[in-house]
Amino acid sequence: MRPRRTPTGIRPLTRPSAAAVAAGCLLGVLSVVPGAPSPATTSPATTPAAATAGETATVFYYTKTRNWAQYHLHYAPDGGAWTTAPGMRMESACADWVKATVDLGSAAGLQATFTDGSGTWDNNAGRDYDLGTGDITVKDGVVAHSDPCGDDGGTDPGSGGTATVYFATGTLGWTTANLHYQPTGGAWTAVPGVGMEAACTGWWKKEVGLGTATSMKAAFNNGNGVWDNNRGADYTLPTGLTTVDDGTVTTDATDPCAEETPDTRAPTAPTGVTARADGVAVVLTWEPSTDDRGVTRYQVTRTGGTRGTVVTDVGSTVLSDAGLEERTAYTYTVRAVDAAGNVSAASATATATTGEKPADPATGRPLGTDPRKDPIYFVMTARFQDGDTSNNRGGSQHEKSGNAAASDPMLRGDFRGLVDKLDYIKGLGFSAVWITPVVLNRSDYDYHGYHGWDFYRVDPRLESAGASYQDLINAAHAKGMKIYQDVVYNHSSRWGAKGLFTPTVHGVRDAQWSWYYDETQAGFEYDGLTVEPKSGKSYYNGDLWSTAEPTGNTCLNWGKPTGGRSPEGYTLYNCQWPSPTSGMFPRALYHNCWIGNWEGEDSRSCWLHEDLADFNTENARVQNYLIGAYDKYIDMGVDGFRVDTAVHIPRTTWNRRFLPAIQERVTQRHGAEAARNFFVFGEVAAFVNDKWNRGSVNHSAQFYTWKERAEYSADDEQAALEMYAYEQRQGTGNQPTSRNAFLDGNAYHAPDHSRFSCMHVIDMRMHMNFSDASNAFHNGKDSDDSYNDATYNVVYVDSHDYGPNKSGERYAGGTDAWAENMSLMWTFRGIPTLYYGSEIEFQKGRKIDCGPSCPLSTTGRAYFGDHLAGEVKASDFSRVDSASGAVADTLAMPLARHVQRLNEIRRAVPALQTGQYSTEGIQGEMAFKRRYTSGGTDSFALVTVTHAATYTGVPNGTYVDAVTGDRRTVTDGKLTVAAPGKGNLRVYVLDGPGKIGTAGPYLR
């Protein structure tokens, strides 16, 4: 018998599942703007279904992929008790569907699970289903709202004109479709409309009687508030057979399913199923199945424990099964399912036994709000603030680097320090913090976090008692601040990745090398923090080397002298140091070459650097390892991922594997709204001023914001090559374009994100041009039609890697130029981001990174905590209540005050956060207009940075400058603004709130 669950409150009418989310990224898949009058006079995205009185719910359950002999609905009305297991027997409704009608009384929904009555359950992977009222479908884990067996609710198809409608969902990924329509002269159906029938792969069909009408208006939806309503215009469909495919209407069409041979072939059974326990969770992975038309999902069956058999549907080849019982053996089998519902034979079983439940605090929840509202403060955690000196570590390069002489260990800052100074960041006005990678690193100089060793473990050198990573996330959320975690999918440390593959290297403890090779100590495990007693090192390496040739060695000439000498004059041996050409790394898991052409195909399939072992990300085992690892941090409640070296992984792999897995996991753990706003932004490094990076679309930032537009091989490695060749042939002139960032005249329009990949990007072109703000503005503007939506671009001047024009130094253009850059970033489209310390021009002109060849204190990655000493309290964003000591001096610096007020103004004007923009009808060097319209919000602003501007053709009305409070009444559509001066700006807001904040050194 399954355990009872206490209802925790009333659920909303719709609750999309992971499968629905992954398909559309939840970033407005053809969704309507709240309040928009479509269809008819009511927005379908906000109108409830007809049967929402709360008295009944008719639950339809899809049977095709379960094949149970009978079906039961076990449920609890909101606020009520569960039925007695196995619940009420469901009855046949129509082909492939069973149903049960539940009397809910005054409840607004129910929790539910399904069972065959013999101990096998579908309980939504242990979370139960949240269902509303009215007609509800549950199909392969996706909850939607329609009656899949009902009639069309209108005129009998047999009388009068008939419209036969085929709707394609191949590019949408919907698992169900409804037709919402209005015969000419008639009434609209009740939202969400009538359920369409699966006709053939990728197509849904409905036949509608129109009576005397010859046409109808129509819109389509997935039953979860995601619509295709022809971008707000609705479709006009005549009688006869009509197809609607990706916005294209074809009348008098041929039946798109007439020539298709029914798919009756089941996929192959999954292989390579492995289960690994981690506390009371099990990470299950397997190799992809093959199918003649493509596998759409996998069905995982779990047995063991007291909860009976549980079946879970997943879209990837990894399942992180959490919340299990302690010290319990669980057995898993996996089946593959194709689009036609054919189910493979079961895989071989895999078993894992859980351990004890960790004592860690409960996981958090992401804040789940629009990321464009949150300016970002970027910190290198190990260099920001030292809150706990006991976890400081210098590493093997402590002396050589000169850090020892400066009493400055490379790993110095930590989560304790960051928690202690969240009020400093909040006082500056930032509501998102981007931190460097948190996974356990292993290399000779790994403070930055990009040398991942154990991706499933947080680096202990960053944590303290009471200041774990979870504590940091929770503390930030308590202050209304987000945590964006830097993640690396492209590479591991040079020593490989624990749990996937770690190479054994040759090493001999002779008179020359005993200082380097530590004696192997049985039972000692490297964690970067703990000192191994015999060697006295926290950077112990005794588990990495061997004098004896390991079993299965593939490295040539193992242990033989190379004939070369080290700088100290010591003998060098073959296989003594990991490299891509040594043969130490298996080709299945790691690439075995060096990059020769940074804009060539080999940039995705070769090593970047000697200490960055390049994953073969097209391999399922590698994909599973990484997906499982980053699921852990999603579960902890992080708000987004900054993706390192994203360009070095093919777009097909992102779009097929990693991005859908992120969306699926966020939805499973935190819900659809959190998934909609889980912010993924990639580093697609392009160091040229071109719109397209040296003409290579595959190596340009905007390329990664789009879904694929061609079909490729089912094999990921082959698909990567096919995609690269195809898009290079298409060239820069035949890439998708978008109006999502631009106003239509003065009007905001609903963005179309139907082709969005789920990854936004760092704006590399603006970054490269920020040696002059005007250059950055005009270059950025020139590229914006080639991003899916440039209003999400992450914009910064310099970072931990480069300054403008690929400078290796922190920006040193002067305080006035910094202020000008900031004024532009905080008002133009995109999300402004500041690298730690730039608010005081910290280390300006210093070399950003020189590795261990010079002390960190002399670089752009120097320790910042000296400037944060003292106490600071902030009651709100941009509002410091008290500050003492050095931090008070830091907050008083001109740029700190400048960014503080910029954040205050941006936060008060929605158009500056989420608005589209235009330069139409505007004369001025850096001048533009922005607008955002949603529901009761209509925010319109005219902006000019540094220079004078004249705006023509703008709406009449009263405009108030947010900087000075100046009021202007426009009666002829024209407003002229005098030059505010270098670094200053004007933000005239239509019906604006007035002057925001206090005049400072630049905003005055």
Side-chain angles (χ1 to χ4, degrees):
M1 182 180 297
R2 62 174 305 284
R4 299 291 184 269
R5 293 181 180 269
T6 303
T8 56
I10 295 177
R11 261 74 59 186
L13 176 67
T14 60
R15 184 69 62 97
S17 81
V21 174
C25 306
L26 279 184
L27 193 61
V29 181
L30 299 175
S31 60
V32 295
V33 179
S38 176
T41 59
T42 306
S43 164
T46 57
T47 303
T52 58
E55 69 278 2
T56 63
T58 300
V59 181
F60 294 84
Y61 187 75
Y62 188 66
T63 65
K64 195 168 184 181
T65 58
R66 288 283 182 259
N67 297 316
W68 291 343
Q70 55 182 282
Y71 297 81
H72 294 258
L73 172 65
H74 182 43
Y75 70 93
D78 289 345
W82 284 91
T83 55
T84 302
M88 66 185 300
R89 179 80 175 266
M90 303 184 76
E91 62 185 33
S92 176
C94 57
D96 303 325
W97 293 93
V98 292
K99 71 176 182 179
T101 299
V102 176
D103 184 354
L104 297 177
S106 61
L110 67 156
Q111 281 193 322
T113 66
F114 303 89
T115 175
D116 65 353
S118 300
T120 299
W121 293 84
D122 173 6
N123 62 3
N124 195 22
R127 293 175 297 280
D128 303 329
Y129 289 97
D130 282 339
L131 309 179
T133 59
D135 294 326
I136 306 163
T137 62
V138 180
K139 178 182 179 182
D140 298 327
V142 178
V143 177
H145 293 260
S146 66
D147 179 352
C149 305
D151 61 30
D152 57 28
T155 306
D156 185 336
S159 61
T162 300
T164 302
V165 181
Y166 283 86
F167 179 65
T169 58
T171 61
L172 302 176
W174 294 357
T175 60
T176 188
N178 296 316
L179 170 64
H180 182 47
Y181 69 94
Q182 177 196 41
T184 303
W188 283 93
T189 55
V191 174
V194 296
M196 303 185 76
E197 305 153 2
C200 56
T201 302
W203 288 94
W204 296 77
K205 174 185 177 183
K206 192 66 184 177
E207 189 173 300
V208 176
L210 298 181
T212 59
T214 58
S215 65
M216 64 178 174
K217 282 193 171 184
F220 304 88
N221 67 86
N222 72 345
N224 280 316
V226 180
W227 289 78
D228 176 0
N229 60 6
N230 195 22
R231 301 186 182 183
D234 302 324
Y235 291 99
T236 299
L237 308 179
T239 55
L241 195 152
T242 303
T243 62
V244 181
D245 185 1
D246 204 15
T248 300
V249 175
T250 304
T251 59
D252 295 325
T254 57
D255 185 340
C257 299
E259 301 301 320
E260 184 169 306
T261 304
D263 182 6
T264 59
R265 181 185 300 177
T268 60
T271 60
V273 182
T274 60
R276 181 175 61 83
D278 180 10
V280 290
V282 171
V283 178
L284 190 76
T285 63
W286 58 93
E287 298 290 333
S289 296
T290 59
D291 185 72
D292 57 336
R293 302 188 187 182
V295 174
T296 57
R297 66 184 59 85
Y298 293 90
Q299 190 181 98
V300 180
T301 300
R302 182 190 77 208
T303 58
T306 63
R307 302 173 188 172
T309 302
V310 175
V311 181
T312 303
D313 291 300
V314 295
S316 63
T317 56
V318 60
L319 170 67
S320 295
D321 199 11
L324 302 175
E325 298 168 67
E326 294 182 299
R327 297 178 295 280
T328 302
Y330 289 94
T331 299
Y332 296 84
T333 57
V334 186
R335 298 174 184 266
V337 185
D338 65 17
N342 299 306
V343 185
S344 76
S347 69
T349 60
T351 302
T353 301
T354 57
E356 296 185 0
K357 185 176 181 179
D360 292 342
T363 57
R365 289 184 59 82
L367 296 184
T369 54
D370 192 321
R372 294 173 296 178
K373 296 180 179 181
D374 300 299
I376 302 169
Y377 191 77
F378 171 34
V379 304
M380 298 193 78
T381 309
R383 307 303 299 156
F384 182 64
Q385 168 68 13
D386 189 1
D388 178 2
T389 58
S390 70
N391 58 14
N392 292 356
R393 293 293 181 270
S396 65
Q397 302 298 301
H398 192 47
E399 300 289 339
K400 177 183 176 182
S401 64
N403 291 337
S407 299
D408 184 23
M410 60 168 185
L411 266 145
R412 185 173 178 182
D414 46 40
F415 296 145
R416 167 63 69 197
L418 191 48
V419 169
D420 289 346
K421 298 303 177 183
L422 284 175
D423 270 19
Y424 168 77
I425 299 171
K426 185 171 184 175
L428 288 174
F430 293 93
S431 49
V433 184
W434 158 15
I435 60 174
T436 39
V438 304
V439 303
L440 175 58
N441 267 229
R442 191 168 194 177
S443 82
D444 292 320
Y445 214 51
D446 56 10
Y447 65 96
H448 43 66
Y450 298 100
H451 294 156
W453 155 257
D454 188 345
F455 286 69
Y456 285 78
R457 184 174 184 179
V458 175
D459 199 313
R461 294 170 290 184
L462 299 175
E463 295 194 302
S464 307
S468 66
Y469 186 34
Q470 187 68 67
D471 291 325
L472 169 63
I473 294 168
N474 295 346
H477 287 173
K479 293 180 180 295
M481 302 169 72
K482 295 180 177 179
I483 295 293
Y484 294 150
Q485 179 180 329
D486 211 323
V487 294
V488 184
Y489 286 78
N490 177 68
H491 57 262
S492 69
S493 74
R494 62 157 50 94
W495 306 111
K498 183 181 178 183
L500 180 69
F501 175 78
T502 57
T504 298
V505 299
H506 172 77
V508 55
R509 283 182 52 80
D510 58 18
Q512 294 180 339
W513 288 106
S514 60
W515 64 275
Y516 181 76
Y517 296 109
D518 302 324
E519 291 184 57
T520 301
Q521 302 299 326
F524 183 84
E525 183 176 359
Y526 166 87
D527 65 9
L529 178 69
T530 306
V531 174
E532 190 276 309
K534 190 159 187 176
S535 67
K537 298 175 181 178
S538 63
Y539 49 95
Y540 160 85
N541 65 17
D543 57 334
L544 299 174
W545 66 274
S546 172
T547 302
E549 184 172 355
T551 303
N553 169 59
T554 55
C555 186
L556 298 177
N557 300 313
W558 171 271
K560 294 180 181 179
T562 66
R565 296 279 177 173
S566 75
E568 301 88 352
Y570 299 159
T571 300
L572 294 177
Y573 300 90
N574 283 302
C575 311
Q576 190 176 19
W577 201 251
S579 79
T581 54
S582 65
M584 289 185 186
F585 290 86
R587 292 182 181 276
L589 305 180
Y590 281 88
H591 293 132
N592 283 212
C593 54
W594 293 107
I595 287 181
N597 178 4
W598 289 85
E599 277 76 39
E601 194 284 322
D602 58 339
S603 71
R604 71 101 191 163
S605 58
C606 297
W607 287 36
L608 305 174
H609 195 267
E610 65 175 356
D611 56 7
L612 305 176
D614 198 81
F615 285 130
N616 178 6
T617 51
E618 289 65 72
N619 176 274
R621 278 186 61 196
V622 174
Q623 293 166 359
N624 293 339
Y625 176 84
L626 293 167
I627 290 170
Y630 290 125
D631 279 352
K632 170 177 179 174
Y633 306 105
I634 290 171
D635 292 353
M636 293 173 75
V638 297
D639 300 276
F641 288 157
R642 180 268 188 182
V643 182
D644 181 73
T645 51
V647 69
H648 299 294
I649 295 175
R651 190 177 73 177
T652 46
T653 304
W654 286 116
N655 286 344
R656 285 182 175 188
R657 309 300 175 200
F658 296 136
L659 295 172
I662 290 170
Q663 284 285 306
E664 182 176 84
R665 187 62 172 194
V666 178
T667 305
Q668 286 176 347
R669 286 293 180 258
H670 306 300
E673 189 65 17
R676 182 191 306 277
N677 291 309
F678 190 88
F679 190 43
V680 178
F681 57 106
E683 178 204 26
V684 183
F687 302 116
V688 295
N689 294 329
D690 305 334
K691 181 173 183 176
W692 296 96
N693 183 30
R694 294 188 175 91
S696 175
V697 295
N698 282 277
H699 300 86
S700 301
Q702 57 267 48
F703 181 73
Y704 280 74
T705 66
W706 297 94
K707 289 182 178 178
E708 303 307 329
R709 55 202 185 118
E711 294 292 330
Y712 306 116
S713 167
D715 176 78
D716 283 358
E717 187 167 358
Q718 184 61 32
L721 296 171
E722 292 172 359
M723 182 273 294
Y724 180 87
Y726 172 80
E727 294 294 358
Q728 291 297 95
R729 289 196 303 271
Q730 296 299 306
T732 60
N734 189 25
Q735 294 298 315
T737 59
S738 168
R739 294 285 306 167
N740 285 337
F742 305 115
L743 294 172
D744 288 338
N746 293 316
Y748 179 86
H749 61 90
D752 177 5
H753 295 123
S754 59
R755 301 302 297 159
F756 173 53
S757 68
C758 296
M759 181 190 288
H760 297 291
V761 290
I762 294 168
D763 197 318
M764 294 299 295
R765 192 174 184 193
M766 287 193 73
H767 168 45
M768 286 292 102
N769 281 278
F770 259 121
S771 55
D772 179 82
S774 183
N775 281 344
F777 171 65
H778 289 287
N779 275 273
K781 196 158 57 79
D782 177 55
S783 293
D784 283 355
D785 64 343
S786 59
Y787 296 98
N788 182 269
D789 192 340
T791 66
Y792 289 84
N793 284 15
V794 170
V795 182
Y796 56 60
V797 173
D798 63 2
S799 72
H800 59 327
D801 287 327
Y802 292 103
N805 296 320
K806 204 181 179 182
S807 167
E809 291 78 40
R810 289 195 73 157
Y811 182 67
T815 309
D816 290 354
W818 246 126
E820 186 177 50
N821 286 339
M822 290 178 178
S823 292
L824 176 63
M825 285 194 294
W826 262 258
T827 54
F828 190 44
R829 79 347 171 228
I831 303 171
T833 301
L834 199 69
Y835 182 41
Y836 81 101
S838 291
E839 64 271 26
I840 62 169
E841 296 179 90
F842 181 60
Q843 299 294 90
K844 63 180 179 182
R846 296 295 186 93
K847 187 173 181 61
I848 293 173
D849 175 31
C850 61
S853 66
C854 69
L856 279 167
S857 59
T858 65
T859 71
R861 297 176 174 183
Y863 175 64
F864 191 57
D866 295 336
H867 298 277
L868 302 177
E871 297 294 327
V872 59
K873 297 295 180 186
S875 59
D876 204 350
F877 297 105
S878 298
R879 183 169 300 170
V880 176
D881 298 325
S882 63
S884 62
V887 70
D889 296 332
T890 297
L891 287 166
M893 294 291 283
L895 290 179
R897 294 173 59 195
H898 185 54
V899 76
Q900 192 175 39
R901 192 172 180 211
L902 283 170
N903 274 323
E904 193 173 7
I905 292 171
R906 188 178 189 272
R907 198 172 297 278
V909 183
L912 301 183
Q913 302 172 49
T914 52
Q916 296 161 341
Y917 79 95
S918 173
T919 57
E920 178 185 340
I922 301 174
Q923 292 182 334
E925 180 61 25
M926 287 185 286
F928 46 93
K929 54 189 174 183
R930 296 191 67 184
R931 191 170 206 155
Y932 177 70
T933 307
S934 177
T937 299
D938 186 7
S939 177
F940 184 76
L942 306 176
V943 180
T944 184
V945 179
T946 301
H947 306 281
T950 298
Y951 306 85
T952 57
V954 299
N956 291 332
T958 300
Y959 289 79
V960 186
D961 179 22
V963 178
T964 64
D966 180 48
R967 300 175 69 86
R968 303 282 190 90
T969 299
V970 173
T971 58
D972 59 356
K974 183 176 180 179
L975 178 65
T976 298
V977 180
K982 183 83 168 181
N984 203 352
L985 79 156
R986 297 289 179 258
V987 183
Y988 280 90
V989 182
L990 183 61
D991 299 322
K995 181 178 178 180
I996 299 168
T998 304
Y1002 289 100
L1003 298 180
R1004 57 187 188 275

